Amino acid sequence: MVKKICCIGAGYVGGPAMAVMALKCPSIEVAVVDVSRPRIDAWNSDRLPVHEPGLDAVVRACRGRNLSFSSDVDRHVADADIVFVSVNTPTKSRGLGAGLAADLAYWESAARMVAAASRSATTTGKSKIIVEKSSVPVRTAEAMERILLAHGGGEGDDAAFHVVSNPEFFSEGTAMRDLLCPDRVLIGGRDRDAVRALVDVYAHWVPEDKIVTTTSLCSAELSKLAANAFLAQRVTSANAISALCEAVGADVSDVSRAVGMDHRVGGGVGGAFLNAGVGFGGPGFHRDVLRLAYACDCNGLPEAAEYWRQVVAMNEYQKSRFVRRVVSSMFGTVAGKKVAVLGFAFKKGVADTRDSPAIDVCRGLVGDRAHVSVYDPAVSEKQILRDTAAKVCVARDAYEAAEGAHGLCVLTEWDEFRTLDYQRIFDGMQRPAFVFDGRNVVDVGKLREIGFVVYSVGKPL
Ligand code: UGA
């Protein structure tokens, strides 16, 4: 029976995932540990370091009951029956595989720490389950096993450790909902008892038919990369079609809806992850598509690698195509002209700008010497200035951003951009007043009636 769970890494994945586990498994003590003291202090305060709707309430309900946050890593690792490893795996910035492969330095040190802290467990003969939770390249779990083994972890049935892969699929902004009602939970591992123990934990709140198990660690690891790559490829397919729609006068929203209504594509509901736009962003897609391509390359599969790399190349094309459209529409130059940018986050509902298409679009416009004024309802001024090397201005609202502008670009699909007073915006802008909708949120007909020249991705001009 699992009594104690510990999670190394109090970050974006570990924190929310363990909070939900504590909520749903009141008989299990869950400890989230991290070497960063300030991070742990924040988890123990009223201002959590991760913002997700519903997270505060769950942490408040469980903290002090069966959920704790601590920097005493060794003690909690030593005590736990199951140790989740959810540490950062940034992409390597130098050396072999720079820009493509994952930097596993944190992983390796976590593995060594688990081995050292668990010495006592090896003497009591009780084996520990080590769960790989971070997004990692294929075969990382095997490397973890090797490190544990090298520290005297034993082998086969006598092993002191059993490594299991349990990748996380939640999306930012909907983490709690996704964790409480996941589409599936994936658990891969060779040791049947270890896999069963983890299944039993999840079965506290996830129906068993949604818990998928595999006997192969790397199938589970690969599924995580493939899931993100498939989603990214789907958005990219819609974006590729959007370019053709503009050329022939078709409407990409109609095409996506019609394609998605086929139950084999969109489950019959239409549109899901088929919305064309200025390009995908966020921490997961770009990273995992490139990691997949790198894995193909490393395994002598250059054609398969090239296929996936093309998804990233198309995404870059979509962003630069958007910038080109802005510049060419505004008579071939934006030099000295004010351009408003509405939305800087990589999607609505989050304050995250990692890999946001808005960064590249701003860079492109600034490169053409436009005066860019950015407004986003959630992203801080500091963050926008950091991402753009302080080459843009930050406005307090959409109206201030658009005041005196020649053009306005919508780059995040925030709901408030649908209901702005566009007549007021038009009155404050230069003539002709251009709107470039990178997320298909504005009412094109209405804006044209007001007098705007409107360009929407994948829509007839
Ligand atoms: C993504 C996956 O959806 C999660 O399952 C995964 O766990 C996570 O990555 C991860 O591994 O980090 P997330 O990055 O939060 O989640 O965001 P998504 O909602 O997937 O959106 C990604 C990007 O695609 C956004 O820029 C969004 O605007 C864009 N997108 C999405 C479109 O342009 N069109 C669509 O139809 C859907």
Side-chain angles (χ1 to χ4, degrees), residues 169-172 224 228 273-275 281 285 346-347 439:
F169 295 103
F170 73 69
S171 298
E172 246 180 275
K224 168 67 193 181
N228 270 350
F273 273 77
L274 288 171
N275 294 323
F285 281 7
F346 82 86
K347 65 173 178 180
R439 295 291 191 168

Side-chain angles (χ1 to χ4, degrees), residues 142-157:
E142 275 178 27
M144 178 111 190
E145 274 181 332
R146 284 212 306 278
I147 293 173
L148 295 172
L149 219 67
H151 284 75
E155 264 182 274
D157 289 344

Side-chain angles (χ1 to χ4, degrees), residues 83 90 205 273 329 339 342 411 427 439:
V83 179
W205 77 100
F273 273 77
S329 304
V339 178
L342 302 191
L411 301 183
D427 293 343
R439 295 291 191 168

